Amino acid sequence: MMITTITQRIESLASRTGVLYRLVEKYYVDMVKKEAGLAGIGKDDRILCIGGGCCPFSAILFHRMTSAKVTVVDNNKDCIPKARKVIERLGLSEHIRVVLQDGCASDIKDYSVIHLALQVDPMQQVISDVERRMSPGAKLLVRQPKKQLRGMYSKFSNATLDCCSSITHKSRSVGSTFLYKAM
């Protein structure tokens, strides 16, 4: 997918360049702030970010904004060492863990919040798997592309989940984030 490839290239460059890192991070700040508020994330939460990429901006910002512990999983083996270096460079290794793993293979029972990146693929399969294994009371945050960009991302249907609430974003590619709660 073209957008995913471009995103990976930008993040790879940002993982090595402080100035580009800070510039790209600004794209995520308002979005993550809204998502943290939507899910009511606090310091006692444990967050699992599925699809962190080379620069796990969302994970870093979730931690900085809430002090919650975060685990990032990504199934791209080239991203993991870069993401770990970013976390180390920022002095966040005690708070954010980066793991090479498929989102469907993640042990999610100990997480109170699970966040899915926009580029997760296949989105529907990961959502169905996470929904089936979430602990009661856990929250799932799922980013959705803007309507005109939906064909450029993995297909997603929220037919199996009951959306509790959502927020809209002003970003160029992310249209909204849905919040689901496990019963």
Side-chain angles (χ1 to χ4, degrees):
M1 297 196 203
M2 186 175 72
I3 290 181
T4 301
T5 302
I6 292 168
T7 301
Q8 287 174 343
R9 287 185 182 153
I10 291 170
E11 286 189 3
S12 182
L13 288 170
S15 72
R16 296 175 288 189
T17 311
V19 173
L20 185 56
Y21 174 88
R22 287 187 294 282
L23 183 65
V24 176
E25 181 185 51
K26 289 180 187 298
Y27 171 83
Y28 291 92
V29 171
D30 185 56
M31 192 177 342
V32 172
K33 184 176 182 179
K34 286 180 175 181
E35 290 170 343
L38 178 67
I41 299 172
K43 65 180 173 67
D44 295 328
D45 281 300
R46 293 198 60 227
I47 303 170
L48 174 65
C49 290
I50 298 176
C54 295
C55 277
F57 292 108
S58 296
I60 292 164
L61 291 167
F62 276 130
H63 170 71
R64 284 184 174 162
M65 292 176 184
T66 68
S67 298
K69 294 269 188 190
V70 183
T71 299
V72 178
V73 297
D74 201 296
N75 62 3
N76 183 332
K77 67 179 186 226
D78 297 327
C79 288
I80 299 304
K82 294 173 185 175
R84 286 179 179 155
K85 283 182 183 176
V86 169
I87 299 300
E88 287 173 23
R89 189 172 64 237
L90 295 173
L92 297 173
S93 297
E94 290 181 37
H95 310 287
I96 301 172
R97 193 169 62 105
V98 179
V99 180
L100 174 62
Q101 193 170 57
D102 185 87
C104 290
S106 300
D107 184 5
I108 63 172
K109 69 179 180 303
D110 294 329
Y111 294 96
S112 54
V113 179
I114 300 155
H115 181 271
L116 271 62
L118 191 58
Q119 290 85 8
V120 168
D121 186 37
M123 180 69 82
Q124 189 62 48
Q125 180 182 339
V126 174
I127 289 172
S128 295
D129 183 72
V130 167
E131 176 191 22
R132 195 179 75 254
R133 298 183 303 121
M134 286 172 64
S135 297
K139 301 168 190 168
L140 173 62
L141 290 166
V142 182
R143 286 185 182 156
Q144 291 297 291
K146 290 197 177 229
K147 189 175 184 177
Q148 61 271 28
L149 297 175
R150 286 187 186 148
M152 302 179 100
Y153 290 94
S154 180
K155 300 284 185 241
F156 166 68
S157 164
N158 61 356
T160 62
L161 295 169
D162 292 323
C163 182
C164 296
S165 54
S166 65
I167 51 171
T168 56
H169 299 291
K170 294 179 182 177
S171 102
R172 293 183 188 257
S173 58
V174 181
S176 57
T177 300
F178 294 115
L179 170 68
Y180 305 95
K181 293 183 184 176
M183 298 300 162

